[in-house]
Amino acid sequence: MSADNQLTRRQRDDLRAIAAMIISASDEYKVPGADDPAIQADMLATLGRDTKLVAAALDHLARLAGGPLAEFDAARRDAVVHEFRKSGGAAAATLVRVVLQCYYRDDRVLGSLGLELRAPFPKGHVLPEGDWSLLDPVKARGGSLRRPP
C-alpha cells in the first residue's frame, strides 16, 4: 500500500518541506531538490515498512514546531530542525535515510554525478545468441556430482 494513503495531508506537506531543507535544488548542477514532485512520489510509493517511523518523525517535528512545519518561515523551520536532530532518535534517522535514498536514485541526480543510467553489466558488450563459449572453463573442470550417501 502506498504511504500516500497512510500519511495525512499535513504529514505529506511537512515531508516535502523537510526534504527541501535536507537537499535543495541546484541550478549550477542542474538537479532538483528533494522536494521535487517525482522524488516525493517515489518516497510515498516506496516507504513501506518505514511509514510508521517516518510518520512518527513528522509528528514529532510538528509538535516541536507547534503546528505544521510547512507553514512556518525558514528561520522557524531551522530552529525546529536543530531541536529535532537532538531529540528525533531512530525516527529522525529513518526520515533522513528515506529522503536520501529516493533522491540519489533519481535519474537526473545520477546523471549529474556522471553515473550511467543503466546496469553496469554488460557495458555495451552484447553476447551473440547461443554463444556458450563462456562456459568452456566450467565444462573443462569435469563433473562434480556425487552419489547420495
Side-chain angles (χ1 to χ4, degrees):
M1 174 181 280
S2 169
D4 196 24
N5 298 328
Q6 296 176 7
L7 296 179
T8 66
R9 180 70 168 150
R10 181 204 45 86
Q11 289 171 328
R12 291 191 304 270
D13 290 345
D14 285 354
L15 177 61
R16 190 171 25 266
I18 194 72
M21 291 178 73
I22 293 171
I23 302 176
S24 58
S26 171
D27 291 333
E28 179 182 355
Y29 297 106
K30 298 177 180 63
V31 291
D35 61 335
D36 181 81
I39 295 171
Q40 287 291 302
D42 184 26
M43 280 184 219
L44 294 174
T46 60
L47 270 178
R49 64 188 173 107
D50 292 325
T51 302
K52 287 182 183 179
L53 276 176
V54 168
L58 294 169
D59 289 342
H60 184 63
L61 273 166
R63 279 192 304 278
L64 290 173
L69 186 71
E71 294 178 2
F72 293 102
D73 63 14
R76 176 76 175 134
R77 286 182 194 174
D78 285 342
V80 169
V81 168
H82 181 71
E83 181 62 32
F84 177 67
R85 282 193 300 229
K86 292 191 276 184
S87 62
T94 300
L95 174 62
V96 171
R97 180 183 48 78
V98 164
V99 170
L100 293 177
Q101 78 184 14
C102 291
Y103 182 78
Y104 284 106
R105 71 175 165 224
D106 184 85
D107 288 349
R108 297 164 292 177
V109 175
L110 290 173
S112 77
L113 295 171
L115 299 174
E116 296 182 37
L117 303 179
R118 63 180 176 80
F121 183 81
K123 290 259 187 209
H125 302 289
V126 178
L127 298 176
E129 188 71 32
D131 180 7
W132 296 99
S133 61
L134 287 174
L135 292 177
D136 288 344
V138 176
K139 291 177 186 176
R141 286 192 314 215
S144 63
L145 296 178
R146 297 188 178 116
R147 291 193 173 128

